[in-house]
Amino acid sequence: MSKPDMAKNFMVAAATTLSSLVGMFVISPAHALQTVDVTDGRSHVLKISAQEMSRISVEGGKIRRFDFVDGELEVKKDDEAGAYLVLPMSKKPINVFVTTTSGLTHALILQPTEIPLESIVLREPARRDRDPRRTDVKIEKAGSLELAVKRLVSAMARGQRPIEFEVTAVNQVIGLWNESRFVLVEKYVGRSLIGEKYRLTNISGSVMRIAEQELYKSGVVAISVEQQVLNPGESTDVFVARVSNDG
């Protein structure tokens, strides 16, 4: 598929006989950084290490209060940075309330996960709204699923951050094919749609040809691969849009 054709040929379809990636994706056990856009009136699920201390901080600010149920977490405070180190005492989800120096309080659900460690940065609305990449383009209110999906994929391709979506930097390696390196770069989470930006690199010694159908799984409504033929060492962006289970 040529680049001029890419923008108008998003593969929008219900997942029917398409290949499933369920079971193919394996998260690499590496350190990860989560940058989470926190929103008032909404709980946020965050992954923390089940075995090691995870760090929770606020972009451009400090945590003033960290409220939780005694016995659920081991907590250490970094007074200078205004951050907290947390270690779960069990593997069940843990509810906490974080109050920052901005005066905002955020409800977090900490989900212990089998990863070595996690560093979480909370980004509050005041700071997020100053991001020059934010855009007020209507996506989920576009009027149709097809138009909403096209606008979402276009925004991801342009590096924009629609105000209807929480955008989180993920940077996690996903197991796909032996001859490739597949990284989930960013995640866009809205009420009814989820967008994912990946970086696919050919780490083999031969030419790689990418078929979009191979990347489908249940719930996916669109996939766009910027460059479908990769020489050894070359990379391409991959954009995936899917329907949220909560939407």
Side-chain angles (χ1 to χ4, degrees):
M1 180 184 294
S2 64
K3 286 189 176 182
D5 292 334
M6 182 189 64
K8 61 182 179 181
N9 286 316
F10 297 126
M11 303 181 66
V12 180
T16 52
T17 60
L18 300 170
S19 300
S20 171
L21 288 185
V22 176
M24 294 175 60
F25 283 8
V26 178
I27 303 296
S28 173
H31 169 269
L33 171 66
Q34 296 181 58
T35 301
V36 181
D37 290 338
V38 287
T39 305
D40 291 339
R42 184 171 179 178
S43 296
H44 303 272
V45 179
L46 308 178
K47 293 185 299 182
I48 62 172
S49 174
Q51 305 293 336
E52 301 182 36
M53 284 282 188
S54 294
R55 186 176 189 271
I56 302 176
S57 62
V58 180
E59 183 181 83
K62 295 183 177 182
I63 298 175
R64 184 161 52 87
R65 280 188 61 140
F66 193 92
D67 297 311
F68 61 99
V69 175
D70 287 342
E72 291 189 337
L73 284 173
E74 179 183 335
V75 175
K76 296 181 181 179
K77 183 179 180 181
D78 182 341
D79 288 307
E80 184 176 351
Y84 278 77
L85 298 172
V86 300
L87 178 67
M89 305 306 292
S90 69
K91 294 187 177 181
K92 71 180 186 66
I94 301 165
N95 294 296
V96 303
F97 291 92
V98 171
T99 302
T100 71
T101 48
S102 70
L104 297 177
T105 299
H106 308 293
L108 309 179
I109 302 172
L110 307 182
Q111 177 61 65
T113 307
E114 295 300 326
I115 51 178
L117 57 94
E118 197 77 356
S119 183
I120 301 165
V121 177
L122 307 179
R123 184 165 60 176
E124 298 184 301
R127 301 194 65 84
R128 183 170 72 245
D129 292 343
R130 292 199 295 269
D131 190 334
R133 294 171 296 178
R134 298 299 285 183
T135 175
D136 60 359
V137 62
K138 295 294 186 294
I139 293 180
E140 296 198 305
K141 298 178 181 179
S144 71
L145 175 61
E146 181 174 355
L147 183 55
V149 167
K150 287 184 177 181
R151 287 181 178 178
L152 174 58
V153 174
S154 177
M156 291 192 293
R158 295 178 181 181
Q160 297 174 336
R161 296 176 179 269
I163 60 174
E164 296 174 311
F165 289 76
E166 290 185 31
V167 183
T168 304
V170 182
N171 294 316
Q172 286 185 326
V173 177
I174 307 297
L176 183 59
W177 304 310
N178 290 334
E179 64 272 18
S180 70
R181 185 171 187 268
F182 200 46
V183 178
L184 175 56
V185 179
E186 288 184 322
K187 196 167 188 176
Y188 291 61
V189 179
R191 291 188 178 275
S192 60
L193 288 174
I194 294 175
E196 295 165 337
K197 177 182 177 179
Y198 295 89
R199 189 68 173 167
L200 176 62
T201 302
N202 180 3
I203 60 173
S204 73
S206 58
V207 174
M208 175 185 292
R209 289 176 173 79
I210 305 159
E212 292 170 336
Q213 291 88 342
E214 296 183 60
L215 300 174
Y216 269 92
K217 60 180 177 179
S218 178
V220 169
V221 291
I223 292 175
S224 177
V225 179
E226 188 176 65
Q227 184 177 337
Q228 291 187 306
V229 178
L230 296 178
N231 291 317
E234 288 187 337
S235 299
T236 186
D237 287 330
V238 177
F239 305 100
V240 176
R242 58 187 175 87
V243 177
S244 170
N245 291 332
D246 300 325

